[in-house]
Amino acid sequence: MTGTGIRLTAPAPGWAIDADVVVVGSGVAGLTTALRCTAAGLRTVVVTKARLDDGSTRWAQGGIAAALGEGDTPEQHLEDTLVAGAGLCDEEAVRTLVTEGPEAVRRLIGTGAHFDTYATGELQLTREGGHHRRRIAHAGGDATGAEISRALVEAVRAAALRTVENALVLDLLTDEHGRTSGVTLHVMGEGQHDGVGAVRAPAVVLATGGMGQVFSATTNPAVSTGDGVALALRAGAEISDLEFVQFHPTVLFLGAGAEGQQPLVSEAVRGEGAHLVDADGVRFMLDQHELAELAPRDIVAKAITRRMREQGVAHMYLDARHFGAEMWESRFPTILAACRSHGIDPVTEPIPVAPAAHYASGGVRTDLRGRTTVPGLYACGEVACTGVHGANRLASNSLLEGLVFAERIAADIAAGPRRPVEHRSPKEGVAGSAPATSLLPLIAPEARAGIQRIMSEGAGVLRSARSLGKAGEALETIFQRALHPDTAQPEDVAEPEDVGLDGKPAVPGVESWETSNLLCVARVLVATALEREETRGSHWREDRPERDDTDWRRHLVVRLMPDRGLAVRRTETAAFPPVSPVGPHLPPAQPSTSHIPPTPPGSRKP
């Protein structure tokens, strides 16, 4: 049974396979972990939601940051990262990242990743926002993620590593002591396995990527529905800093009503000298920051949003006409093709751009070895909150974080005792899959667009107590109607059609499970954004426009409680608290500053 006693509504597992480690996700974090675990002699299974190369990693354009250039040092990389993180980075975690990063990149090259080099063989390095030096290694001009994904997928296949593709992870399995014993999952379509089953393993590594699909417009692929964070919450793990969602400043503007994954215009375009201009052709970043267009992303996104509001327009422009056709075609072929496919030619005209949801700096809270507060459960990459990013991720640190902490997780698992999991045949039941105390309300797929609209309008780049309160009430309406479908709702809550509901009961399946996960992470994000009464990094409160280091240079830590409410606590200092496992056999978590219970049926949340 999971730590909270809460599970998704799903059939019992009908089949099971055994392993020493199960890695959920196939981006740079997941595949690096899997390869290192396999090399250590651990039976490793990779579970991925689509194909092996369909995660967020392949969409990364700009590159991977590391102190690899002449004159650059880890200390300089550390300083840039701390500045971008706006006072909330864990310095020890950042130091780990920047000191171990260069060798991790070299090992990635040894795995088979080909980065762009000069004729001399020296790496070509570029700059991005927040970096004072050229330290971004790239591949294929602007196809770094695709090249990294290709190299890792080929290495996984060469190692004959066992994979389960097209599989949505559902819930964590635990033994009678509250320790991890595997995951349940649903395999879609034909294959060796089908339907709901389980991978039984004493170590589970979440590398599920982001949750960008919680917003209407995002750079994230369709699979990024917050599944890992939602699973961890149901398992009783702690989530930290989820209010810090980075909105990429320069996403190709496809119209005010555009939804889903939007084309990214890499920060590297600005790193090579592109200018941001407003509707009148004026460069507006020059008086905003010493780095102008290369200021940290939160500053650029806010400046764009402010100027859009001042001029009453829906987008700004990125002007790189001075690059010329040859540079566009050689350095940014992917972006050039994407723009042209939408009728825009960057060689001859400015690119319309606007911010869109891009990266979650917060996530499942871990220590420097990737361990969460649930024994045997690890998290790595965007799903994790290691303390590296603080309130705002420094450009191109994400791929590096995935590499460095994946290696540390694999080393920790390999160094630990080999703990077998209880073996039962599928007919006898899967260990740890006892009936849940309660089920998370299953949300109909029709509510997905409503959740995304609520989040974009109330918890997007611009936030306030009013907008967040309204978003919270609307999300609570969806939650309560699913939890109590036959209970009359008060007149002053949103109508079903206002939040994307049409009265149809939800049926267990991939679309309903994804929508349930989206609602789960949306509730946490809104709760923490409402709690944090200041503006810091990528969290911008219009009603609290100043940064408040006295009261708010702190982290917000959230747990899902057995009553399906949220326990939110503020740390006493800016230091990341130690990761002490929690569970029914261990001491309880520290007292929370607030407990947000689910709204009782027939009443409105205050």
Side-chain angles (χ1 to χ4, degrees):
M1 190 163 61
T2 58
T4 62
I6 300 173
R7 285 206 321 252
L8 285 173
T9 302
W15 52 268
I17 56 179
D18 293 322
D20 296 317
V21 184
V22 55
V23 177
V24 186
S26 60
V28 62
L31 295 188
T32 300
T33 303
L35 286 168
R36 298 293 181 269
C37 285
T38 299
L42 297 165
R43 293 176 303 160
T44 306
V45 174
V46 174
V47 174
T48 187
K49 197 171 177 180
R51 299 190 307 273
L52 277 181
D53 62 352
D54 264 353
S56 292
T57 291
R58 63 175 291 203
W59 298 101
Q61 295 175 344
I64 184 167
L68 296 163
E70 184 177 354
D72 197 6
T73 64
E75 196 68 27
Q76 294 176 67
H77 190 182
L78 179 141
E79 182 60 28
D80 285 345
T81 301
L82 294 180
V83 170
L88 281 187
C89 293
D90 181 276
E91 187 167 338
E92 185 180 359
V94 178
R95 194 170 297 279
T96 298
L97 178 82
V98 300
T99 55
E100 298 183 10
E103 285 304 313
V105 172
R106 294 186 181 101
R107 282 189 289 273
L108 178 62
I109 293 172
T111 302
H114 302 296
F115 289 90
D116 296 335
T117 59
Y118 296 107
T120 59
E122 183 182 2
L123 282 173
Q124 293 182 19
L125 300 174
T126 190
R127 278 182 68 194
E128 292 186 355
H131 293 273
H132 283 79
R133 285 201 176 260
R134 286 182 170 265
R135 66 168 64 99
I136 315 299
H138 49 83
D142 58 358
T144 309
E147 171 57 20
I148 290 174
S149 181
R150 179 206 61 77
L152 291 174
V153 168
E154 286 189 6
V156 163
R157 287 174 175 157
L161 205 155
R162 188 167 188 176
T163 61
V164 183
E165 296 181 284
N166 300 306
L168 172 65
V169 68
L170 299 176
D171 280 303
L172 189 74
L173 298 173
T174 55
D175 64 18
E176 61 182 357
H177 302 292
R179 299 175 303 190
T180 295
S181 62
V183 291
T184 57
L185 63 156
H186 174 79
V187 180
M188 300 165 270
E190 300 295 327
Q192 182 179 356
H193 302 289
D194 198 7
V196 176
V199 179
R200 300 180 294 206
V204 171
V205 182
L206 297 178
T208 52
M211 57 182 195
Q213 290 290 329
V214 78
F215 295 96
S216 296
T218 177
T219 62
N220 291 189
V223 295
S224 298
T225 51
D227 307 320
V229 171
L231 176 149
L233 279 163
R234 291 192 296 274
E238 292 186 347
I239 308 300
S240 187
D241 300 348
L242 211 63
E243 67 272 27
F244 296 115
V245 176
Q246 187 178 82
F247 285 76
H248 198 288
T250 54
V251 175
L252 183 62
F253 181 74
L254 301 180
E259 296 181 346
Q261 186 178 10
Q262 311 290 301
L264 176 66
V265 181
S266 170
E267 197 152 346
V269 177
R270 281 176 280 138
E272 295 292 351
H275 303 146
L276 280 165
V277 298
D278 63 17
D280 299 322
V282 176
R283 284 184 67 185
F284 56 89
M285 285 303 303
L286 293 175
D287 61 352
Q288 297 290 321
H289 192 273
E290 62 171 355
L291 294 176
E293 281 88 358
L294 289 179
R297 288 180 177 175
D298 64 306
I299 293 172
V300 180
K302 291 171 188 176
I304 289 174
T305 304
R306 285 193 191 104
R307 189 56 64 99
M308 284 163 46
R309 294 175 68 180
E310 289 170 3
Q311 297 190 329
V313 296
H315 62 83
M316 293 283 101
Y317 292 95
L318 187 65
D319 192 351
R321 290 174 290 180
H322 54 284
F323 284 6
E326 183 178 349
M327 181 174 174
W328 267 111
E329 291 166 1
S330 62
R331 180 67 178 86
F332 301 110
T334 306
I335 298 170
L336 179 63
C339 289
R340 284 177 170 172
S341 71
H342 291 285
I344 299 156
D345 189 350
V347 177
T348 61
E349 60 186 316
I351 306 168
V353 293
H358 183 58
Y359 190 89
S361 293
V364 186
R365 195 164 76 81
T366 74
D367 64 10
L368 297 187
R369 288 183 279 180
R371 298 179 299 186
T372 75
T373 51
V374 175
L377 179 65
Y378 295 78
C380 190
E382 189 173 355
V383 70
C385 185
T386 62
V388 159
H389 304 306
N392 186 43
R393 175 180 67 101
L394 181 66
S396 289
N397 268 356
S398 51
L399 291 175
L400 190 70
E401 182 193 33
L403 271 183
V404 168
F405 287 90
E407 293 184 344
R408 294 177 72 85
I409 286 172
D412 190 70
I413 295 172
R418 301 293 175 91
R419 177 172 61 85
V421 295
E422 180 183 351
H423 179 77
R424 296 179 187 173
S425 69
K427 291 183 180 179
E428 296 174 312
V430 175
S433 62
T437 303
S438 60
L439 297 174
L440 198 70
L442 197 62
I443 309 301
E446 290 77 16
R448 179 167 177 160
I451 294 170
Q452 293 169 329
R453 177 176 52 78
I454 290 164
M455 293 299 291
S456 292
E457 293 176 357
V461 177
L462 300 176
R463 302 168 178 175
S464 67
R466 183 177 182 277
S467 75
L468 290 165
K470 185 177 179 181
E473 287 188 359
L475 294 174
E476 195 65 25
T477 295
I478 298 174
F479 183 79
Q480 288 301 320
R481 287 185 183 277
L483 188 61
H484 305 286
D486 300 323
T487 302
Q489 298 293 320
E491 295 180 357
D492 58 348
V493 301
E495 291 301 316
E497 58 270 18
D498 293 334
V499 291
L501 301 177
D502 58 7
K504 294 180 182 178
V507 177
V510 172
E511 292 184 344
S512 294
W513 291 322
E514 284 186 332
T515 307
S516 300
N517 286 338
L518 284 173
L519 180 61
C520 183
V521 298
R523 292 178 71 218
V524 175
L525 195 161
V526 169
T528 53
L530 192 56
E531 184 91 2
R532 181 173 290 278
E533 296 181 334
E534 65 157 355
T535 288
R536 180 185 298 272
S538 54
H539 173 66
W540 187 9
R541 284 281 296 264
E542 290 185 280
D543 56 331
R544 302 281 184 170
E546 302 301 321
R547 173 170 154 176
D548 179 0
D549 281 346
T550 301
D551 292 330
W552 282 107
R553 192 163 174 250
R554 308 282 190 274
H555 301 278
L556 288 174
V557 179
V558 182
R559 289 184 64 196
L560 181 66
M561 305 304 288
D563 66 356
R564 305 186 190 89
L566 301 174
V568 183
R569 66 180 171 93
R570 189 191 322 185
T571 61
E572 295 182 359
T573 70
F576 238 42
V579 172
S580 300
V582 297
H585 65 299
L586 295 164
Q590 298 177 34
S592 58
T593 57
S594 61
H595 178 212
I596 307 172
T599 308
S603 66
R604 182 176 178 175
K605 181 180 176 181

